[in-house]
């Protein structure tokens, strides 16, 4: 009786679906790598020598872009893009929604005689003007005009995005208001990058590197995601509109893969993976895919690390590409942090290091004492930064959707601590125990260095429960959610590192000026850092019940939800920090805070309305139909003089009453007028609406286990997760 049952129809459609045959790579990955990117190599080939030199100076040494050069670049870029079949160009920017926005324009300009010619000037390359009022700006719009500008980020290469309906030249840009305030995620990445580099170079100079090259932050983001069949996705209004299931009983424990479908999994997903890999290669995004065994239907991809701003752009591009390629394969790619309640969620681990072409990775423990000392100062700066500004790292990953994942014993807790690994923890232990008083030998440094050469070996056991772990040559920030841009965490990391490196440089410079031996100065700096900030180092189990108690004793913040974390953005310390390093002014910080509140309110309100709608129009009718069938059965039995067993009818009637009551309570909670203060409004949603949604869900999920299968309208967890 599949009749109008959307779910049963979806199952039939899935069974009948024939996925496209896996594409065969006709070429070596190396051949197509970067094929659609206007890369440095392409520029070198196509630009006059002097122009190329000038652009390169901007890319590599952050020198301002010469406007005359822009015209020459635009012209070469246009010719290249037209050869690649592009008809349009787009300034691509990253508004505070966390999504990617594009403003498309045609290359073709009509001319007097009715024909058209392809034009693209330096000015159009360098600057665009989308309407700023259509994007969240957290109050920056009220006092300023709606005008907003996009500006080319010369450091992130332009590329051609292929589409069956025509190719587009995409230019990664920043997005700022008319008064220069950042309305996007890219601008602060670039600003914070500069701030961090300035301070890092001071430290490098102290270690004897003359005129060091700019230091950049590197970011490698491991992306987790789910794939489900499109037919199921389309039959779930909650997934479609909110990105996560608002209903759905957990799959039976110990669920084995259904043999019937097992065979289909590898080929279909593999086809998707090969296809995405190929697309990403063409766009110069170095991807490597692989399965993730944690949850059924869940996978992971880890592209090679890149400079933070490029990595952030590529990360956004990766998500867009995954979404569109999945559709091509009859699937939907889910990036929500917790699409399925009770099933492992998805994160986006941000691997982070600092370095440049000359000094290499500054978080790589060297094997000479001198290198070690430099490494230890950078590492000490990380310890200071994360301890002093843990709240800012926390707020950089705060969102209504990530709240469902953080602290849920599958992702790191909301308490920000650092895992150093046994060896490094031991080194800092020694420093704390008076390494500073040890004498130097022959001009080299002894900071308990005996153990240091070992550091390049296996860093020891991985600690999966730490939000911020040293993994041998980088730190891995594990709290970011799968849906989030890596720009947020990178801005925080750069800025708090700028402060910490500034502190280190100032301290060391003063000591040297006072005639203190440099090695001794390093020793005392490090022991001061450990004494003051060592509380953030935690090598134990972050999932344990004892940790929050101990963390509190250590004075570490435990900002459980987004509502607890958002005020961090406007704390006096944060505002001082960001303005000192010219990353955000006071107004920009307030704007980010307000957008954070708005986004939370928007997300939860949409979910609440969907819960009401699906509960009222889909779940309740199915349950009532079943109840009616049972009642008819009881009546028929009675009429026939047979004693009727009422237990099934009672079993379904209980949750139906609960569902009705739950829906009424939720409707009341949603109708409650919002507080004017955005944080209070968001808080009330957290405290009143989310629990009301949970009550509706509990009743509905109970019904899922009772109502006859042929009447149940929503694809189940089992179906969505195991049938691919
Ligand atoms: P694991 O599963 O051990 O965490 P993966 O290979 O899945 O490791 O992912 C590691 C990620 O870290 C990749 O994106 C990789 O490019 C990145 N990475 C490696 N070295 C660095 C580094 N020095 N700085 C930043 N990211 C790095
Ligand atoms: Mg990892």
């Amino acid at each position: 009786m599949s009749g109008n049952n959307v779910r049963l129809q979806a199952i039939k459609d899935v069974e009948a679906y024939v996925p496209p045959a896996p594409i065969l790579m006709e070429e070596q990955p190396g051949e197509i790598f970067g094929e659609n990117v206007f890369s440095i190599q392409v520029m070198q080939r196509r630009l006059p020598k002097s122009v190329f030199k000038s652009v390169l100076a901007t890319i590599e040494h952050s020198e301002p872009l010469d406007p005359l050069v822009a015209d020459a670049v635009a012209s070469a870029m246009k010719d290249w893009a037209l050869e690649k079949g592009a008809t349009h160009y787009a300034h691509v920017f990253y508004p505070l929604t966390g999504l990617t926005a594009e403003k498309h324009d045609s290359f073709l300009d009509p001319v007097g005689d009715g024909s058209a010619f392809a034009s693209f000037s330096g000015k159009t390359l360098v600057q665009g003007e989308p309407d700023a009022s259509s994007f969240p700006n957290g109050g920056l719009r009220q006092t300023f005009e709606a005008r907003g500008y996009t500006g080319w980020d010369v450091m992130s290469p332009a590329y051609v995005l292929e589409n069956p309906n025509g190719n587009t030249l995409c230019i990664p840009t920043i997005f700022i208001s008319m008064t220069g305030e950042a309305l996007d995620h890219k601008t602060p990445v670039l600003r914070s990058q500069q701030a961090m580099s300035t301070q890092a170079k001071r430290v490098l100079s102290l270690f004897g590197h003359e005129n060091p090259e700019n230091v950049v932050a590197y970011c490698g983001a491991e992306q987790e995601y789910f794939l489900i069949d499109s037919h199921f996705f389309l039959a779930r209004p909650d997934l479609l509109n909110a990105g996560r299931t608002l209903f759905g009983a957990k799959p039976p424990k110990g669920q084995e893969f259904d043999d019937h479908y097992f065979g289909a999994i590898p080929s279909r997903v593999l086809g998707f993976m090969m296809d995405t890999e190929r697309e990403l290669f063409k766009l110069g995004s170095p991807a490597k895919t692989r399965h993730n065994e944690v949850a059924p239907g869940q996978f992971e991809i880890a592209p090679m690390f890149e400079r933070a701003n490029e990595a952030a752009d590529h990360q956004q591009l990766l998500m867009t590409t995954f979404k569109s390629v999945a559709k091509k394969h009859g699937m939907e790619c889910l990036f929500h942090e917790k699409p399925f309640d009770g099933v492992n969620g998805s994160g986006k681990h941000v691997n982070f290091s600092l370095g440049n072409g000359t000094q290499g990775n500054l978080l790589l423990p060297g094997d000479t004492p001198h290198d070690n000392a430099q490494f230890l100062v950078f590492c000490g700066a990380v310890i200071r930064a994360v301890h002093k500004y843990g709240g800012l790292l926390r707020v950089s990953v705060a969102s209504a959707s990530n709240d469902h994942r953080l602290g849920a014993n599958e992702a790191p807790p909301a308490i920000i601590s650092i895992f150093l690994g046994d060896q490094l923890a031991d080194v800092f232990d020694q420093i704390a125990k008076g390494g500073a008083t040890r004498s130097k030998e022959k001009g080299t440094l002894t900071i308990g260095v005996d153990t240091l050469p070992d550091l390049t070996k296996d860093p020891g056991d991985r600690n999966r429960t730490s939000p911020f772990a040293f993994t041998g040559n980088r730190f891995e920030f594990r709290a970011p959610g799968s849906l989030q841009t890596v720009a947020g965490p990178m801005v925080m990391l750069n800025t708090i590192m700028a402060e910490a490196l500034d502190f280190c440089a100032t301290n060391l410079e003063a000591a040297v000026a006072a005639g203190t031996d440099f090695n001794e100065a390093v020793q005392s700096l490090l022991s001061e850092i450990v004494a003051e900030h060592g509380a953030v180092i935690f090598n134990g189990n972050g999932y344990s019940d004892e940790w929050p108690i101990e963390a509190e004793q250590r004075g570490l913040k435990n900002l459980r939800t987004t509502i607890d974390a958002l005020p961090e953005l406007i704390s006096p310390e944060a505002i001082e920090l960001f303005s000192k390093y010219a990353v955000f002014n006071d107004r920009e910080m307030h704007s980010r805070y307000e957008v954070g509140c708005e986004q939370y309110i928007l997300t939860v309100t949409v979910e609440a309305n969907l819960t009401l709608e699906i509960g009222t129009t889909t779940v309740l009718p199915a349950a009532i139909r079943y109840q009616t069938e049972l009642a008819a059965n009881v009546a028929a039995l009675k009429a026939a003089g047979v004693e009727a067993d009422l237990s099934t009818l009672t079993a379904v009637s209980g949750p139906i009453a609960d569902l009705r009551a739950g829906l009424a309570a939720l409707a009341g909670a949603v109708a409650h007028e919002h507080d004017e203060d955005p944080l209070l409004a968001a808080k009330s949603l957290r405290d009143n609406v989310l629990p009301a949604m949970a009550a509706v869900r509990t009743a509905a999920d109970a019904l899922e286990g009772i109502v006859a299968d042929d009447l149940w309208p929503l694809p189940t967890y089992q179906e969505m997760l195991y049938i691919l």
Side-chain angles (χ1 to χ4, degrees):
M1 213 222 42
S2 78
N4 297 325
N5 187 310
V6 179
R7 169 177 153 255
L8 298 181
Q9 188 57 48
I11 295 176
K12 279 191 182 168
D13 291 342
V14 174
E15 281 173 338
Y17 179 77
V18 184
I23 53 155
L24 293 173
M25 287 240 199
E26 281 154 18
E27 65 287 288
Q28 293 294 314
E31 274 174 54
I32 53 165
F33 189 81
E35 181 182 278
N36 288 352
V37 182
F38 194 67
S39 61
I40 292 183
Q41 292 75 20
V42 175
M43 285 197 255
Q44 186 164 23
R45 258 184 277 125
R46 290 184 170 248
L47 293 173
K49 231 182 192 138
S50 62
V51 173
F52 174 69
K53 263 177 103 176
S54 171
V55 178
L56 203 63
T58 302
I59 296 174
E60 290 186 344
H61 307 293
S62 314
E63 280 168 27
L65 185 71
D66 179 348
L68 290 176
V69 163
D71 267 329
V73 178
S75 164
M77 198 188 274
K78 179 197 70 188
D79 292 344
W80 172 82
L82 291 176
E83 283 166 31
K84 296 254 162 220
T87 54
H88 287 68
Y89 66 90
H91 275 198
V92 177
F93 55 101
Y94 311 95
L96 298 183
T97 51
L99 303 173
T100 305
E102 295 166 5
K103 182 167 186 273
H104 288 235
D105 284 293
S106 172
F107 275 123
L108 296 179
D109 265 353
V111 277
D113 63 1
S115 65
F117 81 107
S119 78
F120 186 59
S121 67
K123 197 164 165 281
T124 25
L125 165 66
V126 173
Q127 188 171 323
E129 196 187 333
D131 178 10
S133 64
S134 344
F135 298 98
N137 53 44
L140 286 178
R141 180 176 89 212
Q142 269 121 50
T143 34
F144 290 86
E145 275 191 73
R147 222 173 261 259
Y149 295 109
T150 51
W152 181 31
D153 169 15
V154 187
M155 284 175 287
S156 190
Y159 52 92
V160 165
L161 204 55
E162 294 175 5
N163 187 295
N165 302 318
N167 298 348
T168 304
L169 168 68
C170 295
I171 302 152
T173 62
I174 56 163
F175 181 39
I176 52 172
S177 76
M178 210 182 155
T179 43
E181 267 136 347
L183 296 171
D184 69 343
H185 284 296
K186 183 188 265 291
T187 308
V189 171
L190 298 175
R191 289 179 185 160
S192 65
Q193 178 62 50
Q194 203 169 306
M196 184 277 294
S197 178
T198 305
Q199 304 307 329
K201 286 199 287 189
R202 281 173 65 200
V203 173
L204 287 179
S205 301
L206 282 157
F207 278 93
H209 306 288
E210 270 175 49
N211 284 327
E213 206 187 312
N214 277 342
V215 173
V216 295
Y218 294 107
C219 167
E222 299 162 61
Q223 173 78 58
E224 291 179 325
Y225 60 95
F226 279 87
L227 289 173
I228 71 165
D229 190 284
S230 300
H231 297 95
F232 292 136
F233 176 77
L234 293 173
R236 295 283 316 211
D238 45 2
L239 273 182
L240 190 66
N241 292 294
R244 75 174 176 112
T245 55
L246 300 167
F247 296 92
K250 290 175 186 95
K253 230 187 176 157
Q255 173 73 41
E256 297 298 328
F257 276 17
D258 190 327
D259 279 349
H260 178 59
Y261 301 107
F262 185 75
I265 296 173
S267 71
R268 194 163 179 198
V269 173
L270 210 66
F272 161 84
M273 286 179 170
M274 285 175 69
D275 213 350
T276 47
E277 212 161 288
R278 191 164 178 275
E279 289 308 314
L280 291 173
F281 273 168
K282 283 199 267 181
L283 294 166
S285 177
K288 68 181 214 264
T289 39
R290 57 161 194 247
H291 281 263
N292 185 323
E293 298 120 43
V294 183
Q298 192 187 33
F299 308 92
E300 184 187 291
I301 178 168
M304 267 293 286
F305 66 95
E306 297 174 287
R307 291 168 178 224
N309 68 317
E310 244 180 292
D313 292 357
H314 278 154
Q315 229 296 308
Q316 296 288 114
L317 199 52
L318 181 149
M319 294 200 283
T320 332
T321 306
F322 269 43
K323 285 246 167 223
S324 62
V325 173
K327 281 199 168 68
K328 208 170 108 188
H329 290 259
M331 296 184 289
E332 197 66 34
C333 184
L334 309 178
F335 287 116
H336 194 284
E337 281 81 6
K338 196 74 178 173
F340 305 100
D341 200 35
V343 177
N344 198 68
S346 301
K348 176 144 58 199
H349 295 176
V350 169
N351 291 271
F352 156 79
S353 67
L354 300 175
N356 63 24
T358 320
Q359 273 83 44
N361 179 357
L362 299 170
L363 291 177
L364 190 67
D367 40 27
T368 66
H370 186 80
D371 288 344
N372 283 344
Q374 183 184 299
F375 159 75
L376 286 172
V377 169
F378 276 91
C379 203
V382 173
I383 292 170
R384 174 183 166 94
V386 175
H387 181 242
K388 206 164 169 216
Y389 299 109
L392 286 173
L393 284 178
R394 170 66 184 93
V395 74
S396 79
V397 300
S399 71
S401 51
N402 207 21
D403 276 3
H404 296 291
R405 172 182 161 266
L406 280 186
N409 277 13
E410 58 171 74
I415 306 161
I416 304 292
S417 65
I418 297 184
F419 172 80
L420 283 182
D422 291 342
Q423 288 166 317
L424 203 50
D426 178 55
V427 170
F428 277 96
D429 243 13
Q430 291 182 46
I431 292 168
K433 289 188 186 122
T437 56
R438 288 188 204 171
S439 60
K440 59 191 172 76
E441 290 164 10
K442 292 186 210 142
T444 55
L445 203 59
T446 52
I447 311 175
V449 287
D450 296 355
T451 55
L452 285 182
D454 289 344
L455 284 173
T456 47
K457 291 187 197 151
D458 192 325
D461 251 9
R462 288 293 179 94
N463 179 323
R464 296 274 167 208
T465 69
S466 173
F468 206 88
F470 185 69
T471 55
N473 64 351
R474 61 189 188 269
F475 283 90
E476 185 175 350
F477 186 26
R478 302 208 182 97
S482 47
L483 198 55
Q484 296 172 323
T485 161
V486 298
M490 292 313 297
V491 169
M492 291 303 176
L493 286 168
N494 274 335
T495 311
I496 66 181
M497 280 305 287
E499 193 277 344
L501 290 168
D502 183 0
F503 171 82
C504 294
T506 306
N507 183 306
L508 292 176
E509 282 163 4
V512 170
T516 314
D517 174 83
F518 183 64
N519 294 333
E520 272 168 27
V522 169
Q523 302 232 23
S524 73
L525 168 70
L526 289 173
S527 47
E528 185 187 329
I529 288 178
V530 180
E532 205 167 320
H533 304 292
V536 77
I537 301 168
F538 176 61
N539 287 332
N541 178 6
Y543 294 173
S544 71
D545 294 336
E546 294 79 43
W547 173 230
I549 301 163
E550 188 186 329
E552 196 180 340
Q553 286 160 358
R554 291 180 180 211
L556 300 180
K557 288 179 179 168
N558 186 359
L559 304 168
R560 283 195 191 84
T561 68
T562 297
I563 312 302
D564 306 309
L566 279 170
E568 294 292 314
L569 281 175
I570 49 168
S571 74
E573 304 82 63
I575 289 178
E576 193 194 317
L577 169 77
F578 279 90
S579 66
K580 179 167 181 192
Y581 294 100
V583 177
F584 287 130
N585 64 27
D586 184 346
R587 298 173 41 73
E588 288 172 314
M589 291 298 275
H590 275 91
S591 119
R592 308 251 146 186
Y593 163 79
E594 276 179 32
V595 170
C597 296
E598 274 169 24
Q599 295 281 311
Y600 186 93
I601 293 169
L602 212 65
T603 306
V604 178
T605 307
V606 165
E607 288 184 351
N609 286 326
L610 275 166
T611 303
L612 279 175
E613 187 185 302
I614 298 169
T616 310
T617 65
T618 307
V619 177
L620 189 60
I624 290 175
R625 267 180 213 141
Y626 185 50
Q627 190 187 36
T628 309
E629 252 181 42
L630 291 172
N633 169 260
V634 168
L637 289 175
K638 272 194 181 152
V642 182
E643 199 191 330
D645 179 350
L646 294 180
S647 62
T648 321
L649 184 55
T650 318
V652 78
S653 299
I656 286 181
D658 294 345
L659 180 60
R660 283 207 174 97
L663 287 167
L666 178 59
V670 171
H672 190 79
E673 204 163 314
H674 277 182
D675 202 288
E676 286 236 351
D677 179 313
L679 187 72
L680 291 181
K683 187 170 182 295
S684 144
L685 289 173
R686 181 195 68 182
D687 297 340
N688 302 311
V689 171
L690 286 180
M693 281 165 59
V696 169
R697 180 177 188 147
T698 304
D701 291 357
L703 286 167
E704 187 182 325
I706 301 169
V707 170
D709 185 69
D710 64 337
L711 290 176
W712 192 253
L714 297 168
T716 65
Y717 271 26
Q718 202 170 322
E719 287 154 0
M720 290 187 283
L721 290 168
Y722 290 99
I723 306 179
L724 256 185

